[in-house]
C-alpha cells in the first residue's frame, strides 16, 4: 500500500512545476502593465522624478507591442488603473473611496481604449510616431468628454521640471505630451532592435534612422525651443501680493465656517497693510485673494461687504476677491470680483469650466445611490461665458479659476485677450494635505512657459506661489498656513508660437493618429480580401 501511494503521489509534484512555469510568463505582461502605469504616476509632482515617464512608456510599449485588440484593452486598463488610481486618490480625501474609484476607473477606460489604438499602430513602420499621436488624441478626447472633460493626468503636467518643458512654448501641452511619449516608445523600439540585431545580426539602416529620430528629435526640439523661454520684463514689472488666509478646519465642512474663512483673508490683508506701513514689505500694485475666500455673497450680505471693503481700503490697492454669488433665481456663480478701494466692486469674472460632481451634480438621483455626499451640492453652480481679464492698476491680469488651469483654452483665451500676467486663484481646502495642490501647481508652471507669462497662484490653504515666465517658483507658502507673498513680477505681452497656433498642434497630432489608425484598418481589410 505504501508503495502505491508513493507511486501515485510523487508524479504530482513535478506536474505542478510546469504549471507554475507557464503561469509566470502569462503574468509578466499584466504585471508590467500595472508597473508602467505606476511609473507614469510616480513621474508627477510632488516627486521630482519626471524622467520616470520615459521608462514607463518604454515598458508600456513592450506590453502593447502587436497585441490583439482584446489583450491590448485589458493590458491598457491595468496600466490606466496603475496610473489613475494613485494619481487621483485626492478625489476621495473627504468623500470616501466610491467617487475616487469611479473617476479613476472612468479615466482608466479612456487609457484602455487608447491602448487598443497604440497596439494597432505598432504594426506600422516607425510605429512610435503613430503610437505617440494616438496617446495625444486620447488625451484630447479625455479633456473634452464626458461633462466637459477631465484633463487631469495629461503627461505634459508632470513635466514642469523636465528637459522637455520648453516644447510647451512651441506647441502647447499637446506637443509636450507627444514628444515625451514618442521618446519613451522610441526607447523601447531601440531596445527591441538591439535584441533583434544580437539574435540575427541584422540592423537595417532605415530602422536605425527611425529609432534615432524618435529618441533624439524630441530632445533636440526641446533644446531648440529654449530661446522661446524668456522671463524678461517686456512691459515693465508689477508688484503683486497673494493672500493665503487659511481655513478653520480641513475637509468639506470648511464651508460651515464661511465667515471665519472670509475673516482669515481680511485679517491677513490687514496685516499686510501694517507690514507695508512699517516698511517690512513693498507696497503692492494689486492684491489677489483665492477662490472661495468669501463664500458669503458680498452683494447680499452687508457684513461680508464691510469686512472686504475695510481690508481693501487698508491695503489701498485693487484687490481680486473670490466669492460665491447667489442670484435671486438661477444657478450660483463662482465669481472673482475686482474690488476697488474707493469704488468697491467694479468688475466680475464667472468661472467658465465648472467642476462636475463638485460644483454641479450631473445625474443627481443616480449618483445618490452610491454616495449621500451628493446632497452637499444643494444648488448647482452655472458656468460663466466671458473671458476674464481685469485691468488692475494698469496691469492686465488674466483670470483662471482653480480647475480651469487644466484646460488649454481657458488659459490661452486670457493671453489672447491681452493678459500680461496670469492669476490662478484656487481653493484646495476640501482635499486636505493630499498631492492635489502640487499637481495643480505644476500645471501653472507649465502654463507659465506655454504662454511666457508670470503666474500667481493664491490658494486658501494649499501651496500659494509666484511663478516666473520660465516656470521657476520664486516664492511659495506652506500648506494650511496663513501667509502673504509679495513679489515684483515681469510683465510680458509677446505671444509664443503655442499661443498663436492655439489648438492647431493638437488638431494636427489628432489627424496623424487618425491617419495611422486608418492605415492599419485599410491593411486589415486588404488582408481579409486576399484570404
Amino acid at each position: 500500500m505504501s508503495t502505491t501511494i508513493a507511486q501515485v503521489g510523487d508524479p504530482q509534484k513535478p506536474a505542478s512545476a510546469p504549471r507554475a512555469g507557464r503561469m509566470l510568463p502569462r503574468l509578466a505582461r499584466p504585471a508590467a502593465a500595472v508597473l508602467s502605469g505606476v511609473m507614469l504616476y510616480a513621474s508627477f509632482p510632488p516627486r521630482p522624478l519626471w524622467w520616470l515617464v520615459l521608462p514607463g512608456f518604454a515598458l508600456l510599449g513592450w506590453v502593447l507591442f502587436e497585441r490583439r485588440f482584446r489583450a491590448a484593452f485589458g493590458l491598457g486598463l491595468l496600466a490606466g488603473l496603475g496610473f489613475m488610481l494613485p494619481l487621483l486618490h485626492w478625489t476621495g480625501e473627504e468623500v470616501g473611496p466610491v467617487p475616487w474609484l469611479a473617476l479613476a476607473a472612468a479615466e482608466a477606460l479612456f487609457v484602455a481604449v487608447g491602448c487598443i489604438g497604440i497596439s494597432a499602430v505598432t504594426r506600422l513602420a516607425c510605429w512610435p510616431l503613430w503610437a505617440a499621436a494616438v496617446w495625444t488624441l486620447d488625451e484630447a478626447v479625455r479633456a473634452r468628454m464626458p461633462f466637459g472633460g477631465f484633463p487631469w493626468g495629461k503627461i505634459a503636467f508632470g513635466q514642469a521640471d523636465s528637459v522637455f518643458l520648453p516644447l510647451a512654448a512651441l506647441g502647447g501641452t499637446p506637443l509636450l505630451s507627444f514628444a515625451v511619449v514618442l521618446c519613451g516608445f522610441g526607447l523601447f523600439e531601440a531596445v527591441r532592435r538591439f535584441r533583434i540585431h544580437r539574435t540575427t545580426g541584422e540592423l537595417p539602416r532605415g530602422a536605425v534612422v527611425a529609432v534615432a529620430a524618435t529618441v533624439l528629435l524630441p530632445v533636440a526640439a526641446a533644446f531648440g525651443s529654449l530661446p522661446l523661454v524668456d522671463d524678461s520684463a517686456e512691459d515693465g514689472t508689477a508688484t503683486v501680493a497673494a493672500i493665503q488666509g487659511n481655513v478653520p478646519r480641513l475637509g468639506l465642512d470648511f464651508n460651515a465656517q464661511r465667515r471665519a474663512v472670509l475673516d482669515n483673508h481680511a485679517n491677513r490683508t490687514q496685516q499686510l497693510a501694517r507690514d507695508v506701513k512699517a516698511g517690512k514689505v513693498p507696497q503692492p500694485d494689486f492684491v489677489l485673494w483665492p477662490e472661495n475666500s468669501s463664500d458669503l455673497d458680498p452683494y447680499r450680505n452687508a457684513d461680508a461687504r464691510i469686512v472686504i471693503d475695510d481690508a481693501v481700503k487698508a491695503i489701498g490697492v485693487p484687490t481680486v476677491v473670490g466669492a460665491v454669488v447667489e442670484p435671486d433665481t438661477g444657478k450660483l456663480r463662482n465669481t472673482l470680483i475686482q474690488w476697488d478701494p474707493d469704488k468697491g466692486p467694479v468688475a466680475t469674472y464667472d468661472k467658465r469650466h465648472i467642476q462636475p460632481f463638485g460644483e454641479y451634480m450631473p445625474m443627481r438621483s443616480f449618483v445618490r445611490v452610491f454616495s449621500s455626499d451628493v446632497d452637499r451640492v444643494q444648488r448647482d453652480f452655472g458656468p460663466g461665458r466671458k473671458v476674464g481679464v481685469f485691468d488692475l492698476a494698469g496691469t492686465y491680469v488674466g483670470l483662471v479659476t482653480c480647475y480651469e488651469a487644466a484646460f488649454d483654452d481657458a488659459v490661452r483665451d486670457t493671453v489672447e485677450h491681452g493678459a500680461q500676467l496670469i492669476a490662478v486663484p484656487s481653493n484646495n481646502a476640501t482635499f486636505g494635505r493630499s498631492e492635489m495642490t502640487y499637481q495643480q501647481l505644476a500645471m501653472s508652471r507649465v502654463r507659465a512657459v506655454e504662454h511666457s507669462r508670470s503666474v500667481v497662484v493664491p490658494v486658501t490653504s494649499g501651496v500659494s506661489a509666484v511663478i516666473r515666465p520660465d516656470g521657476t517658483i520664486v516664492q511659495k507658502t506652506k500648506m494650511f498656513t496663513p501667509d502673504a507673498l509679495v513679489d515684483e513680477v515681469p510683465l510680458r505681452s509677446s505671444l509664443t508660437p503655442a499661443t498663436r497656433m492655439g489648438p492647431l498642434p493638437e488638431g494636427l497630432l489628432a489627424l496623424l493618429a487618425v491617419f495611422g489608425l486608418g492605415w492599419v484598418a485599410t491593411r486589415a481589410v486588404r488582408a481579409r480580401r486576399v484570404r
Side-chain angles (χ1 to χ4, degrees), residues 31-43 56 59-60 78-84 86:
V34 174
L35 179 58
S36 69
V38 172
M39 292 174 78
L40 298 188
Y41 155 70
S43 71
L59 188 59
L60 185 63
L78 290 174
L81 290 172
F83 180 24
M84 293 296 177

Side-chain angles (χ1 to χ4, degrees), residues 266 269-270 273 289 303-316 339 341:
T269 305
Q270 297 270 11
W289 285 16
D303 289 346
R305 186 183 183 105
I306 291 169
V307 169
I308 295 170
D309 206 49
D310 287 348
V312 176
K313 279 180 172 18
I315 194 63
W339 206 287

Side-chain angles (χ1 to χ4, degrees), residues 244-255:
Q244 178 171 302
N246 201 16
V247 297
R249 58 174 176 259
L250 281 68
L252 293 173
D253 291 331
F254 84 95
N255 277 318

Side-chain angles (χ1 to χ4, degrees), residues 104-155:
E107 295 300 298
L109 281 172
F110 277 100
V111 174
V113 172
C115 286
I116 295 175
I118 290 171
S119 176
V121 297
T122 58
R123 294 167 174 82
L124 299 178
C126 200
W127 69 266
L129 177 73
W130 310 107
V134 171
W135 182 277
T136 310
L137 172 61
D138 190 68
E139 287 190 341
V141 174
R142 282 201 296 117
R144 290 167 173 80
M145 57 183 295
F147 311 118
F150 187 73
W152 225 276
K154 183 181 283 194
I155 293 302

Side-chain angles (χ1 to χ4, degrees), residues 328-349:
D328 291 331
T329 59
K331 298 180 179 179
L332 301 173
R333 290 290 186 269
N334 188 337
T335 301
L336 298 175
I337 305 172
Q338 180 180 345
W339 206 287
D340 186 87
D342 299 319
K343 302 175 183 178
V346 295
T348 60
Y349 166 68

Side-chain angles (χ1 to χ4, degrees), residues 203-218:
L203 193 61
R205 183 177 298 177
V208 173
V209 172
V211 168
T214 56
V215 176
L216 298 179
L217 276 181

Side-chain angles (χ1 to χ4, degrees), residues 83-364:
F83 180 24
M84 293 296 177
L85 277 172
L87 185 78
L88 302 178
H89 183 264
W90 51 268
T91 59
E93 186 75 17
E94 296 295 334
V95 294
V98 173
W100 159 50
L101 294 175
L103 178 60
E107 295 300 298
L109 281 172
F110 277 100
V111 174
V113 172
C115 286
I116 295 175
I118 290 171
S119 176
V121 297
T122 58
R123 294 167 174 82
L124 299 178
C126 200
W127 69 266
L129 177 73
W130 310 107
V134 171
W135 182 277
T136 310
L137 172 61
D138 190 68
E139 287 190 341
V141 174
R142 282 201 296 117
R144 290 167 173 80
M145 57 183 295
F147 311 118
F150 187 73
W152 225 276
K154 183 181 283 194
I155 293 302
F157 295 148
Q159 299 296 298
D161 291 305
S162 140
V163 297
F164 295 99
L165 181 60
L167 287 170
L170 180 62
T173 59
L175 181 63
L176 178 53
S177 286
F178 171 78
V180 172
V181 178
L182 175 62
C183 194
F185 284 148
L187 286 174
F188 164 64
E189 180 64 3
V191 172
R192 191 180 77 87
R193 288 291 178 179
F194 177 73
R195 292 183 65 186
I196 292 174
H197 172 64
R198 288 192 62 183
T199 304
T200 65
E202 297 178 359
L203 193 61
R205 183 177 298 177
V208 173
V209 172
V211 168
T214 56
V215 176
L216 298 179
L217 276 181
V219 179
F223 281 102
S225 300
L226 276 172
L228 299 175
V229 181
D230 187 354
D231 67 348
S232 61
E234 293 177 332
D235 303 327
T237 62
T239 301
V240 57
I243 302 296
Q244 178 171 302
N246 201 16
V247 297
R249 58 174 176 259
L250 281 68
L252 293 173
D253 291 331
F254 84 95
N255 277 318
Q257 296 191 24
R258 295 184 295 173
R259 177 56 189 268
V261 175
L262 171 57
D263 287 344
N264 284 353
H265 287 84
N267 291 340
R268 193 60 190 84
T269 305
Q270 297 270 11
Q271 178 62 52
L272 174 62
R274 290 192 291 272
D275 290 343
V276 169
K277 189 174 181 180
K280 296 179 180 179
V281 293
Q283 170 70 50
D285 296 313
F286 54 89
V287 175
L288 302 172
W289 285 16
E291 175 192 33
N292 299 136
S293 46
S294 176
D295 277 344
L296 293 170
D297 183 350
Y299 296 106
R300 303 176 67 91
N301 188 301
D303 289 346
R305 186 183 183 105
I306 291 169
V307 169
I308 295 170
D309 206 49
D310 287 348
V312 176
K313 279 180 172 18
I315 194 63
V317 295
T319 301
V320 176
V321 177
V324 174
V325 174
E326 305 177 13
D328 291 331
T329 59
K331 298 180 179 179
L332 301 173
R333 290 290 186 269
N334 188 337
T335 301
L336 298 175
I337 305 172
Q338 180 180 345
W339 206 287
D340 186 87
D342 299 319
K343 302 175 183 178
V346 295
T348 60
Y349 166 68
D350 293 333
K351 186 176 182 180
R352 292 178 290 159
H353 288 271
I354 56 175
Q355 184 182 352
F357 306 102
E359 291 173 305
Y360 75 100
M361 195 60 61
M363 307 184 301
R364 184 180 290 269

